[in-house]
Amino acid sequence: MEKNQKKVYIETLGCQMNKSDSERILGILSHFDYEKSEENEADFFIINTCSIRKLSEDKAYSKLGVWGKMKEKRPEIKIAICGCVAQQEKEGLLKKFPYLDLVFGTHNIYELPELIKELEKPVPDGERIRICAIRDKAVEEKEFNIIRSKGINAWLPIMEGCNNFCTYCVVPHTRGRERSREVETILAEARKIISEGYKEITLLGQNVDSFGKDLKPDNNGIKPNFAKLLAELDKLEGNFRIRFTTSYPTDITDDVVETVKNAKKICECFHIPMQSGNDRVLKAMNRRYTRAQYSEIVNKIRTQIKDVTITSDFIAGFPSETEEEFLDTISAIKELGLDYSNTAAYSPRPNTPAGKMVDKFIPNDIKKRRLAELNDTVKKASLASNTQDIGKVYEVLVEKINENDEKNGNARIAEGRSRNNKVVHFKSETAQIGDFINVEIKEALVWCLKGEAVADISNPSTAICKEACAKKEAASLK
Ligand code: SAH
Ligand code: SF4
Ligand code: F3S
């Protein structure tokens, strides 16, 4: 049977939501005898695209170009594009790329079975089936396999879409309006993830705090919300962590902060994009908060939750942004002590109000310079944040083992993350992927921490503990 297996290669650009969609797409295709493969052995090629910036869109087109060349030599291969660029450009893509066989939008994933059947229909010689499937609204989700990527983390979307319409952002146009998944569906998926051995679940949504607003009250008349969902997930049996992203500053409720504070499995980490440190720019971006309000939220979280990490996103060179206004962003990062931030130069996007402010666009060289300054500030902030961790003991969930680390005298180095999402490296002969190990932080670098495993008597199952106990025992016998 092995010979009949068709091979699909999917390349995923963009955010975690796209990564999660790709796992679902692969799962659906597995019902049609498609097996996930590497690029060099595939006969079906899919690019799951991102449209957040022009650069991401261009990446998709350049990949299509490579596959188009391949199709000249192997005309039997099939090429598909999906994701946010597909949703945005629709059938125009079939015209632009003659070698494309299938275009499907972000709302069409659950229709893939029909699309694949159509695509695989036998046709007379010289004819070709080409399909574009785009719809405005999502169809009801159906149950299919999910082929998750291996590792310790599993993505779990709790909602889709966005209602915020920030003036620079394409997401509400490519992902549609907010739709929450049913609480029971999410809990069932979480249980399955844990039973499959994953040690971390990351809840996904463009704005997780909106979760439940569109759902009906349950049988007891209780309306779901994000805090309640977190509390339910925290109650699930098993040794695992829960993370979530993304939070909209003024939508984070006291209940969410309280729940994270009291929960056992929910990690102390909030990703709260600020975008700009200047009130006029924030207004022009249609962000519904001021610098002072953002600051108040950050302070509230910090005073309530010990060792919490707060990360953010910033845009440099939004149309009309003056030098002084840009400097407000720089000062905000420092003043708020943000632990880490993603940064980007503003990129005009189709269908967005800011994309039409052509006369107010900031020249590329200025945007580039502002972005470099922003990155420099983020780097310093990250080092300052990491430096504060020296001496602390963090529980690290091991994600990777480097058997022979050249930079560390060929030692065996374990790498993982603390609950507050700091990358931690430490030497160990025995640590395994998926272990939770207490590590004392000894050194701070810009993007990671270095530490030493500490024996944790309260957690005797960890390999490191066994290692330390064995050493202690050996020493006492001498
Ligand atoms: N839902 C999240 C983020 C979604 S997009 C939120 O509410 O912020 C991820 C990040 O991409 C955004 O936070 C923003 O910083 C950046 N981004 C979005 N549109 C952009 C554009 N047109 N140019 C540059 N960066 C952009
Ligand atoms: Fe885009 Fe704003 Fe929605 Fe985030 S909240 S996805 S930045 S429109
Ligand atoms: Fe990109 Fe779409 Fe995500 S535009 S960031 S892939 S929602």
Side-chain angles (χ1 to χ4, degrees):
M1 291 310 285
E2 187 76 353
K3 269 189 280 165
N4 293 336
Q5 280 244 303
K6 297 168 278 186
K7 303 236 155 105
V8 55
Y9 171 73
I10 185 160
E11 191 154 315
T12 311
L13 307 171
C15 64
Q16 293 104 324
M17 198 60 92
N18 259 17
K19 288 187 183 140
S20 168
D21 282 350
S22 287
E23 295 177 344
R24 279 156 214 272
I25 292 169
L26 283 171
I28 293 172
L29 288 173
S30 74
H31 292 268
F32 291 83
D33 290 332
Y34 275 99
E35 183 187 47
K36 181 180 167 184
S37 80
E38 293 305 319
E39 191 171 8
N40 58 5
E41 47 186 25
D43 31 41
F44 186 19
F45 297 77
I46 307 176
I47 182 120
N48 189 0
T49 59
C50 171
S51 176
I52 203 80
R53 288 183 283 277
K54 176 139 193 322
L55 203 72
S56 10
E57 189 176 338
D58 291 345
K59 255 194 213 166
Y61 299 147
S62 91
K63 194 78 227 191
L64 282 183
V66 172
W67 291 343
K69 279 248 151 24
M70 208 182 258
K71 197 163 175 154
E72 286 171 14
K73 289 191 198 117
R74 291 177 59 202
E76 74 285 0
I77 66 170
K78 299 254 183 280
I79 305 177
I81 184 168
C82 61
C84 291
V85 175
Q87 188 72 31
Q88 176 188 296
E89 297 299 312
K90 307 182 170 68
E91 50 280 303
L93 291 168
L94 287 183
K95 284 198 202 98
K96 201 162 158 191
F97 302 99
Y99 41 80
L100 255 182
D101 298 288
L102 172 64
V103 178
F104 63 99
T106 51
H107 303 310
N108 299 73
I109 293 179
Y110 290 102
E111 280 171 353
L112 255 186
E114 289 79 39
L115 299 176
I116 297 297
K117 275 184 215 154
E118 181 71 22
L119 200 66
E120 293 190 337
K121 259 192 198 160
V123 284
D125 270 357
E127 276 184 34
R128 248 180 91 199
I129 291 178
R130 302 183 78 210
I131 306 167
C132 175
I134 305 284
R135 45 167 74 241
D136 294 339
K137 278 194 185 148
V139 287
E140 189 123 330
E141 93 173 66
K142 295 177 197 141
E143 219 182 301
F144 284 109
N145 292 341
I146 302 173
I147 311 270
R148 296 188 187 278
S149 31
K150 295 201 174 74
I152 52 127
N153 177 69
W155 310 115
L156 175 43
I158 60 166
M159 59 185 305
E160 256 265 51
C162 183
N163 293 355
N164 283 325
F165 290 95
C166 305
T167 55
Y168 51 81
C169 185
V170 80
V171 173
H173 309 279
T174 62
R175 292 274 171 181
R177 295 301 73 74
E178 283 168 0
R179 301 172 302 284
S180 306
R181 297 178 76 202
E182 294 292 336
V183 174
E184 265 319 311
T185 312
I186 297 168
L187 291 175
E189 201 170 315
R191 282 189 207 102
K192 182 140 197 297
I193 289 170
I194 300 156
S195 74
E196 287 169 5
Y198 289 94
K199 300 287 183 202
E200 187 175 88
I201 296 178
T202 304
L203 309 176
L204 301 179
Q206 295 301 341
N207 178 9
V208 288
D209 304 281
S210 291
F211 174 80
K213 285 186 182 156
D214 55 327
L215 292 178
K216 291 195 189 81
D218 67 11
N219 293 339
N220 304 317
I222 298 170
K223 191 153 166 73
N225 67 27
F226 185 50
K228 288 177 201 155
L229 178 72
L230 283 176
E232 284 301 312
L233 287 161
D234 192 54
K235 280 191 235 156
L236 296 179
E237 291 279 319
N239 197 13
F240 66 96
R241 290 175 171 181
I242 301 166
R243 299 190 183 280
F244 57 89
T245 189
T246 303
S247 306
Y248 190 92
T250 34
D251 289 350
I252 302 171
T253 61
D254 290 350
D255 278 352
V256 166
V257 180
E258 189 74 16
T259 308
V260 175
K261 180 180 165 185
N262 297 330
K264 288 199 174 64
K265 298 179 170 112
I266 304 165
C267 293
E268 296 76 16
C269 184
F270 284 75
H271 182 59
I272 322 172
M274 187 186 195
Q275 314 297 0
S276 166
N278 176 272
D279 287 348
R280 191 202 65 83
V281 176
L282 284 172
K283 204 158 184 205
M285 288 175 160
N286 193 29
R287 300 288 287 185
R288 296 173 274 107
Y289 52 87
T290 59
R291 175 180 176 133
Q293 284 170 314
Y294 183 94
S295 163
E296 205 178 298
I297 288 146
V298 166
N299 291 337
K300 183 160 64 185
I301 296 173
R302 284 212 200 282
T303 40
Q304 294 228 33
I305 306 175
K306 190 174 165 268
D307 287 336
V308 68
T309 290
I310 298 180
T311 58
S312 189
D313 293 350
F314 288 96
I315 298 176
F318 180 81
S320 79
E321 181 190 67
T322 66
E323 202 58 31
E324 290 71 34
E325 289 169 340
F326 167 69
L327 290 175
D328 282 343
T329 293
I330 299 284
S331 72
I333 297 176
K334 294 181 190 162
E335 187 184 297
L336 296 164
L338 296 170
D339 298 283
Y340 172 77
S341 300
N342 300 310
T343 59
Y346 170 74
S347 169
R349 303 315 293 134
N351 309 317
T352 61
K356 298 188 179 82
M357 297 163 69
V358 182
D359 54 331
K360 300 204 170 86
F361 282 177
I362 307 294
N364 277 339
D365 55 338
I366 298 183
K367 277 200 288 191
K368 256 194 188 160
R369 201 248 310 135
R370 287 185 191 169
L371 179 62
E373 266 180 59
L374 198 52
N375 287 341
D376 192 48
T377 308
V378 169
K379 217 168 146 179
K380 286 182 182 139
S382 179
L383 183 60
S385 157
N386 286 348
T387 305
Q388 288 175 13
D389 294 326
I390 294 175
K392 290 181 184 166
V393 173
Y394 281 153
E395 181 202 72
V396 174
L397 169 53
V398 179
E399 289 173 22
K400 251 194 233 166
I401 302 286
N402 198 349
E403 293 290 347
N404 257 313
D405 197 274
E406 281 177 20
K407 279 183 251 143
N408 286 291
N410 293 333
R412 186 175 185 273
I413 301 291
E415 179 185 329
R417 279 168 199 270
S418 58
R419 287 177 61 96
N420 59 4
N421 217 18
K422 299 278 181 97
V423 175
V424 181
H425 296 239
F426 62 98
K427 261 188 213 169
S428 167
E429 285 307 316
T430 50
Q432 299 297 327
I433 291 172
D435 281 350
F436 293 86
I437 293 172
N438 285 339
V439 177
E440 185 176 340
I441 306 306
K442 298 284 186 187
E443 194 186 337
L445 304 175
V446 173
W447 306 126
C448 71
L449 301 168
K450 283 188 179 178
E452 279 172 20
V454 290
D456 177 3
I457 307 305
S458 66
N459 188 6
S461 66
T462 63
I464 288 290
C465 176
K466 283 185 204 148
E467 192 179 342
C469 293
K471 268 190 201 153
K472 237 181 174 178
E473 222 166 274
S476 69
L477 290 175
K478 270 184 194 162

